[in-house]
Amino acid sequence: MTFDLCFGFVAAFSGFWFVLNEERLYGLTQPFEALDWFFAVTLVVSATELTRRVAGLVIPVLIVLSLTYVAVWGKWVDGMFNFPGFAWESTLWRSIYNDEGIFGNIARISSTTVFLFVIFGAFLVRSGAGEFVIALARAIAGRIAGGPGLVAVISSALTGTISGSAVANTASTGVITIPLMKRAGYKAHFAGGVEAASSTGGQLMPPIMGAGAFVMASFTQISYETIVLVAILPAMLYFGSVAFFVRIEARRLQLPPLEADGETLWTALKKGGAPFIIPITLLIYMLVSGYTPNYAAVFAIIAVIVASWASANPMGPKAIAEAMVNGSKGMIMTAILLCAVGLVVNVITTAGIGNTFSLMIAEWSGGNILFAIIMIALASLVLGMGLPVTAAYIVLATLSAPALAGMLADREVVAAIADGALSESAKAMFMLGAPEVLPLLNAPMPIEQARALVAELPIEVAQPLRDLTVSPAAMVTALLSAHMIVFWLSQDSNVTPPVALAAFTAAAIAKSSPMQTGVASWKLAKGLYIVPLLFAYTPLLSGNWPEMLAIAGVALIGIYGLAGALQGCLEHPVGWVERAILAVAGTACIIPTTFTYQMVALGVVVAVFVFNLMRGRPEPAIT
């Protein structure tokens, strides 16, 4: 205890040292003095050790490898990752004062917006909103077949609007929903998997979406309000996919509904409806109206307090103080991670590793967006085994999002070349990279030929050509789509064995095997891999609302078909022929081809469902 207090004091004072001496050190008019060296090393070691305590060894190892790369062994690496290196003094200075360093943009987001939203969530929980969420979910879905599983999905979606933490979501709602599911007949590991997969979606559900959404806004310079708005439909698709698996499993096991327990919408509202509905509505209204997230969060916190006075849990000074304390405690892990991961991001940007990695993705994928997404998903799978969600997103976005955004934007370049509509200034760029193709650019050409031309261009030609051809709106859409894809893929660290924090938390509650629960949650969270394809190939994030709703509706039917194919059941069991048909038709609903093909695929899924519903469950065979 004494050591920890001394350690904390020295770590805190190290930070203050560089604040107090910023004017002297920032201009580098003189080298580090002895105390500068001591506090710089202490600061980095403190960040590394605190990260080890809250998140394990992976990030500390990355910090050590990153700092020694730029200061020691980068010059010994051959090829594109060779780096001449900095002196240790320069390395430490950049780690502290750079915009991407330990006190850089990511830490600033942590200390302002993220902190306010975490406090907002703590106020909602303290006001009794958590009880309301569970009660509302039970009132809506508790009495239908598979209802307890659907209660877990709905309650986790609603809790996600106030939490933004998959593990906290699992722990808070799982203690109620997992026993309910087990009592209804679900196996323990499946019940835990449902809760973990549903809680993982909480970080995809607006308006909070965890710290990653705020980091995304900083990375892309796209407003947080825009990100929240376009994230609504994808989040609903994800929860729909989990709900389909839950419903199908209930029908496969022929689970009966639970007995009514008297819960109604009115009784649910009395358990905390006002402190939940009023602040959330106010927050969304203020964000959509153009207020800054910080401003909206402060007013939403005030709204929680005022609304609680009309509920069964009015918040007085003691409750307000408890909410502040709980929110501050809940912020500790996130704050440490966001500060420490800045040390890694600083090296990635300073040494140009991000650009190098992006070039590798573009080269290895051959310009194929699907291959690029698969590679990013594999990288996310590896990172997810050791990094928390936000850290995985930050690292993966820094490394891969620029390349993916460029590939998405290049589709407009390819279309212009294929149509023979390239501007004269854009054609001139080919003089630098491929002058022999200039005669071909004056007339339309097959889309595959145009795609091959763009894929073969060197980066120093491809980027200016993109700037000259792609509209600013399309560039913003490509950037947003790329980051949303990476953000979604990084969520699998909660449900990916061998390190799946949300799944292991659910396993402890369900008293099931952690690995079995992890595999079940990973299987149920297939939406994490399906929905990002819609970001890449459809205007789900950028279309008008009728268009986006149509895309989401067709995709939802396709996801249901895929769930039925994987589980071998819809409302009743399906045979292998029907499963194959559902797999093909469901995939066609998600991966767009032509409107006609998609409508045919949609009709096939609906027809199989109707046939399955009318046929009913066959009589069991006599053995």
Side-chain angles (χ1 to χ4, degrees):
M1 182 68 175
T2 303
F3 172 79
D4 287 341
L5 286 173
C6 295
F7 173 65
F9 175 78
V10 174
F13 189 78
S14 298
F16 280 114
W17 177 265
F18 287 98
V19 173
L20 297 172
N21 290 274
E22 180 178 5
E23 186 175 349
R24 175 174 63 86
L25 292 172
Y26 197 83
L28 284 182
T29 56
Q30 62 185 53
F32 273 9
E33 297 175 354
L35 285 177
D36 299 328
W37 278 104
F38 173 78
F39 286 120
V41 172
T42 300
L43 187 62
V44 172
V45 170
S46 299
T48 306
E49 168 59 14
L50 290 172
T51 305
R52 183 196 65 80
R53 294 188 183 191
V54 300
L57 285 172
V58 175
I59 296 179
V61 169
L62 286 177
I63 291 172
V64 172
L65 289 175
S66 299
L67 295 179
T68 54
Y69 169 75
V70 296
V72 180
W73 56 272
K75 55 181 173 289
W76 300 335
V77 178
D78 293 330
M80 64 178 67
F81 286 107
N82 177 268
F83 184 70
F86 294 136
W88 271 111
E89 182 182 51
S90 179
T91 300
L92 292 172
W93 184 92
R94 291 169 182 269
S95 297
I96 296 167
Y97 284 121
N98 266 14
D99 286 343
E100 293 82 18
I102 192 170
F103 296 135
N105 293 328
I106 299 174
R108 177 181 53 79
I109 297 168
S110 169
S111 64
T112 54
T113 309
V114 176
F115 179 69
L116 284 172
F117 274 81
V118 170
I119 293 294
F120 170 59
F123 268 83
L124 280 173
V125 171
R126 183 61 183 81
S127 70
E131 297 176 15
F132 162 71
V133 163
I134 298 293
L136 181 63
R138 294 183 70 172
I140 294 172
R143 298 178 183 82
I144 63 177
L150 298 178
V151 168
V153 176
I154 296 171
S155 62
S156 293
L158 293 173
T159 303
T161 63
I162 63 176
S163 170
S165 168
V167 175
N169 198 334
T170 302
S172 60
T173 61
V175 293
I176 297 175
T177 60
I178 290 175
L180 273 177
M181 284 186 277
K182 290 173 66 177
R183 183 155 60 93
Y186 289 105
K187 293 181 180 179
H189 71 275
F190 185 85
V194 170
E195 181 57 46
S198 301
S199 296
T200 295
Q203 293 190 266
L204 306 172
M205 175 61 75
I208 295 181
M209 298 174 63
F214 302 108
V215 176
M216 187 191 304
S218 176
F219 279 176
T220 62
Q221 295 302 300
I222 297 171
S223 69
Y224 177 74
E225 307 88 85
T226 300
I227 293 172
V228 165
L229 196 61
V230 302
I232 296 173
L233 280 180
M236 299 302 293
L237 279 176
Y238 175 81
F239 283 107
S241 70
V242 179
F244 287 151
F245 276 101
V246 171
R247 169 68 180 180
I248 288 171
E249 182 70 6
R251 298 303 299 164
R252 190 179 70 84
L253 298 175
Q254 300 184 66
L255 301 182
L258 291 179
E259 294 182 4
D261 58 1
E263 195 72 79
T264 64
L265 289 176
W266 174 244
T267 59
L269 286 170
K270 290 194 295 184
K271 291 182 178 179
F276 179 84
I277 295 173
I278 294 174
I280 291 290
T281 303
L282 176 65
L283 179 67
I284 294 173
Y285 170 77
M286 293 186 72
L287 289 173
V288 172
S289 299
Y291 292 94
T292 66
N294 293 354
Y295 197 76
V298 170
F299 273 86
I301 291 171
I302 297 172
V304 174
I305 299 171
V306 175
S308 73
W309 298 339
S311 73
N313 299 297
M315 295 186 70
K318 182 180 178 181
I320 292 172
E322 288 177 357
M324 292 291 292
V325 170
N326 292 337
S328 300
K329 288 180 178 178
M331 184 64 200
I332 291 173
M333 178 178 175
T334 301
I336 291 172
L337 285 176
L338 293 184
C339 288
V341 81
L343 293 169
V344 179
V345 173
N346 179 61
V347 169
I348 291 173
T349 55
T350 301
I353 296 175
N355 291 335
T356 302
F357 195 83
S358 291
L359 289 173
M360 290 171 59
I361 290 178
E363 182 179 349
W364 291 351
S365 64
N368 188 296
I369 294 172
L370 180 60
F371 288 166
I373 293 175
I374 291 173
M375 286 192 291
I376 294 171
L378 291 174
S380 173
L381 202 63
V382 174
L383 285 173
M385 293 179 183
L387 291 181
V389 166
T390 303
Y393 164 68
I394 292 172
V395 173
L396 202 59
T398 307
L399 291 173
S400 62
L404 185 57
M407 295 171 67
L408 293 172
D410 279 344
R411 289 183 299 191
E412 196 163 311
V413 179
V414 170
I417 294 174
D419 293 339
L422 210 60
S423 67
E424 292 302 319
S425 57
K427 291 177 184 178
M429 295 305 305
F430 278 85
M431 289 293 295
L432 302 175
E436 68 278 3
V437 305
L438 279 174
L440 302 175
L441 301 178
N442 295 319
M445 67 175 68
I447 192 74
E448 289 302 325
Q449 185 180 2
R451 189 175 290 116
L453 286 179
V454 173
E456 292 172 0
L457 289 174
I459 186 65
E460 58 269 17
V461 176
Q463 182 61 56
L465 177 62
R466 191 180 300 145
D467 294 338
L468 289 169
T469 307
V470 181
S471 65
M475 286 296 297
V476 170
T477 298
L479 186 62
L480 176 60
S481 299
H483 276 268
M484 286 292 283
I485 289 170
V486 174
F487 181 68
W488 272 63
L489 293 177
S490 66
Q491 303 299 318
D492 65 358
S493 64
N494 283 312
V495 293
T496 304
V499 180
L501 296 180
F504 291 173
T505 302
I509 299 172
K511 296 181 174 59
S512 60
S513 164
M515 292 305 296
Q516 267 192 307
T517 306
V519 171
S521 63
W522 181 75
K523 180 180 179 181
L524 289 161
K526 285 294 181 289
L528 293 178
Y529 308 103
I530 295 173
V531 177
L533 296 177
L534 299 174
F535 301 156
Y537 292 103
T538 72
L540 182 62
L541 299 178
S542 59
N544 53 52
W545 277 102
E547 185 179 24
M548 293 190 295
L549 287 170
I551 292 169
V554 174
L556 197 63
I557 300 299
I559 291 171
Y560 180 69
L562 285 176
L566 289 171
Q567 296 294 92
C569 184
L570 292 175
E571 286 298 296
H572 304 286
V574 295
W576 284 105
V577 173
E578 292 165 299
R579 293 177 74 170
I581 293 172
L582 285 171
V584 173
T587 302
C589 289
I590 296 166
I591 304 296
T593 48
T594 65
F595 177 78
T596 302
Y597 285 155
Q598 278 201 297
M599 290 301 100
V600 170
L602 179 67
V604 169
V605 174
V606 173
V608 173
F609 170 75
V610 172
F611 176 74
N612 179 264
L613 192 64
M614 293 176 62
R615 184 183 61 183
R617 183 177 177 85
E619 293 294 329
I622 299 175
T623 58

